[in-house]
Amino acid sequence: MSSWRAEYLAALQARDSHEQANKEVYDAYTRLADRAASLSTTQSPDLPESEKKEKPGRITASTPVTVDISATQVRQNLAEAQRNRAELETRIVAITGELEKLQLKSIVESRRINELTAEKSNLVKKLRDRDEELRGKSKLLEDVHDETLSLTIELNMAEDTKKKLKLENQELVDRWMARKGQEADAMNTASKFS
């Protein structure tokens, strides 16, 4: 994904270096043209109204003055164009600087987005693991609760059985003691008469 960006930036840098190679010549020519235009406007005499209204297509005795006026007008137009070009270059430099800042900010923001996306996916994975762990613990707790309940039931049943056996044992012991008591009484009674 970054290879096309690198190629694009390399192409832009090559173009900029090619355009900037003759920048000094262009700037010198611009200064010269500006100076020539300003000199010609300060040196041109004020023309009478009649000559200003003359049409350039007519040939009159004042035709050379008209040519001078046209040359002056062209110089003024050239100077205006040079000023406009300088303003546009200044704006281009400012816009290029702002574009570079925004591109850098965009790169930083895209990296931050990638980091946050990775962190989010990591947290989502941890959340899933925790949910699974909680489900496992809740199942284990439910199993322990069920086991405790069944053991409590078994204990109650064993205690009931123990009580029944104790009562039954007590009845057996009482019956056995009564029987042995009767046998002892019978033996005592039999030994009195013998």
Side-chain angles (χ1 to χ4, degrees):
M1 183 167 80
S2 64
S3 64
W4 69 267
R5 286 183 183 165
E7 291 174 12
Y8 184 70
L9 288 174
L12 287 177
Q13 289 172 349
R15 183 208 62 189
D16 289 345
S17 66
H18 177 67
E19 287 180 357
Q20 299 298 325
N22 296 323
K23 185 173 183 353
E24 293 175 7
V25 175
Y26 296 145
D27 290 341
Y29 176 74
T30 302
R31 287 191 301 274
L32 181 62
D34 289 343
R35 197 170 351 142
S38 66
L39 286 175
S40 66
T41 56
T42 58
Q43 292 176 356
S44 67
D46 288 339
L47 298 175
E49 279 298 314
S50 61
E51 289 182 5
K52 286 183 183 175
K53 291 181 179 177
E54 254 183 55
K55 295 186 178 169
R58 286 180 48 184
I59 300 175
T60 61
S62 62
T63 303
V65 175
T66 308
V67 171
D68 286 340
I69 294 171
S70 298
T72 303
Q73 186 66 35
V74 168
R75 285 185 191 118
Q76 288 175 349
N77 289 344
L78 178 62
E80 182 68 27
Q82 293 296 337
R83 280 191 295 277
N84 288 341
R85 186 180 69 78
E87 289 174 4
L88 290 175
E89 281 181 351
T90 305
R91 285 183 57 201
I92 286 173
V93 168
I95 289 172
T96 303
E98 187 175 346
L99 176 64
E100 288 174 358
K101 287 178 187 175
L102 289 174
Q103 285 175 338
L104 182 62
K105 185 177 179 181
S106 173
I107 290 170
V108 169
E109 292 297 325
S110 65
R111 285 180 186 161
R112 183 70 178 141
I113 287 171
N114 289 339
E115 289 172 2
L116 290 175
T117 304
E119 186 178 348
K120 178 191 168 203
S121 63
N122 190 16
L123 289 174
V124 166
K125 183 180 177 186
K126 283 183 180 180
L127 182 64
R128 283 189 201 137
D129 291 345
R130 290 291 161 94
D131 285 345
E132 187 176 320
E133 183 181 340
L134 286 174
R135 279 194 297 272
K137 285 183 178 181
S138 127
K139 176 71 173 140
L140 181 63
L141 183 63
E142 189 177 313
D143 290 346
V144 166
H145 181 61
D146 290 346
E147 185 70 24
T148 304
L149 188 60
S150 67
L151 287 175
T152 303
I153 291 171
E154 283 181 28
L155 180 63
N156 289 340
M157 289 174 59
E159 293 218 1
D160 288 343
T161 306
K162 178 184 160 191
K163 286 178 185 175
K164 287 179 187 175
L165 288 175
K166 193 173 183 181
L167 285 173
E168 187 178 322
N169 187 31
Q170 188 62 40
E171 287 176 12
L172 286 175
V173 167
D174 289 343
R175 282 189 357 215
W176 184 74
M177 288 298 283
R179 187 171 174 203
K180 288 298 180 186
Q182 287 174 355
E183 286 178 6
D185 287 340
M187 281 178 56
N188 282 340
T189 326
S191 67
K192 270 191 203 178
F193 297 111
S194 23

